[in-house]
Amino acid sequence: MISANDLRKGTTFAYDGDVYQVVDFQHVKPGKGAAFVRTKIRSVMNGGAKDITFNPNEKFEEARIETKEMQYLYTDGDLYYLMDNNTYEQMGLTKEQMGDALEFIQENMNVTIVLYKGKVIEVLPPTFVELVVEYTEPGFSGNTATTSGKPARMENGLEISVPLFIEIGEKLKIDTRTKKYVERVKN
């Protein structure tokens, strides 16, 4: 058990039927009245954030969040199979468990699995992935200075905006957090 007085940035704890991570905190000791802890917390399960004030003596169950590096192997029907890189154990996850990571992962790619009490909370793809442009309108040579873009469909079906000079067949580096083009990959 941890008390509200022990809350720090990054601390995870169980509260009100959910698991939260402290984003920001402030211990307040007013001139009059009792001290309190003002926090901004984010739900680990659904990502929602809220501000809550706690009495410093309140106690919470500490939540141990585990992360594992796993390799995406293949899809079989409705399940996506991943392998633990250390134990070689395989795990099948549903589309809901895979979440947004499905937009970026490819066979044999390493992903990070976030677990709480053995239950998968989130699947995180690498921060940057390299994908080939499957379709985009023809490019304009010499048009590198403009900030405007054009739509492009990547090999996995992801649609992003790319600079006008990008052509079909080029390999691009994509930021998975923002779903934006970063740069062309040199062969």
Side-chain angles (χ1 to χ4, degrees):
M1 295 292 271
I2 59 172
S3 71
N5 238 2
D6 298 328
L7 296 179
R8 302 285 182 264
K9 261 187 184 175
T11 304
T12 52
F13 63 98
Y15 172 72
D16 204 20
D18 204 346
V19 178
Y20 291 94
Q21 182 173 35
V22 178
V23 176
D24 199 12
F25 73 98
Q26 182 180 17
H27 293 279
V28 180
K29 254 181 137 174
K32 267 184 161 177
F36 58 91
V37 181
R38 185 178 295 140
T39 62
K40 179 174 186 130
I41 56 177
R42 180 181 57 84
S43 170
V44 174
M45 304 293 204
N46 63 27
K50 58 183 172 181
D51 296 319
I52 294 196
T53 302
F54 295 111
N55 177 326
N57 300 326
E58 281 187 71
K59 302 257 186 234
F60 310 103
E61 179 188 337
E62 191 169 1
R64 300 246 183 245
I65 304 295
E66 182 186 351
T67 59
K68 262 188 196 180
E69 193 73 20
M70 298 185 87
Q71 183 180 35
Y72 171 62
L73 298 175
Y74 61 93
T75 303
D76 184 18
D78 293 337
L79 292 178
Y80 298 83
Y81 287 91
L82 299 121
M83 176 183 70
D84 188 311
N85 291 339
N86 297 323
T87 64
Y88 303 109
E89 287 181 45
Q90 290 187 19
M91 166 192 302
L93 299 179
T94 64
K95 187 174 186 172
E96 291 76 33
Q97 289 174 305
M98 292 296 288
D100 292 341
L102 282 177
E103 292 183 312
F104 302 104
I105 62 171
Q106 299 170 316
E107 288 184 3
N108 302 320
M109 180 181 280
N110 283 337
V111 296
T112 303
I113 306 294
V114 181
L115 302 148
Y116 174 64
K117 291 185 177 178
K119 180 182 171 211
V120 176
I121 296 172
E122 189 175 18
V123 177
L124 302 169
T127 306
F128 298 101
V129 294
E130 295 177 359
L131 299 170
V132 175
V133 176
E134 186 176 84
Y135 179 78
T136 188
E137 294 297 321
F140 302 101
S141 62
N143 195 347
T144 59
T146 182
T147 58
S148 65
K150 62 181 179 178
R153 185 177 63 242
M154 308 310 289
E155 64 186 300
N156 62 354
L158 179 67
E159 300 247 345
I160 62 168
S161 179
V162 297
L164 297 173
F165 57 84
I166 298 296
E167 309 239 349
I168 294 173
E170 288 190 89
K171 189 180 269 191
L172 307 179
K173 187 175 186 179
I174 310 295
D175 186 330
T176 59
R177 299 164 299 185
T178 60
K179 298 181 186 179
K180 293 195 176 179
Y181 161 87
V182 176
E183 65 184 2
R184 282 195 273 195
V185 176
K186 311 280 190 274
N187 291 334

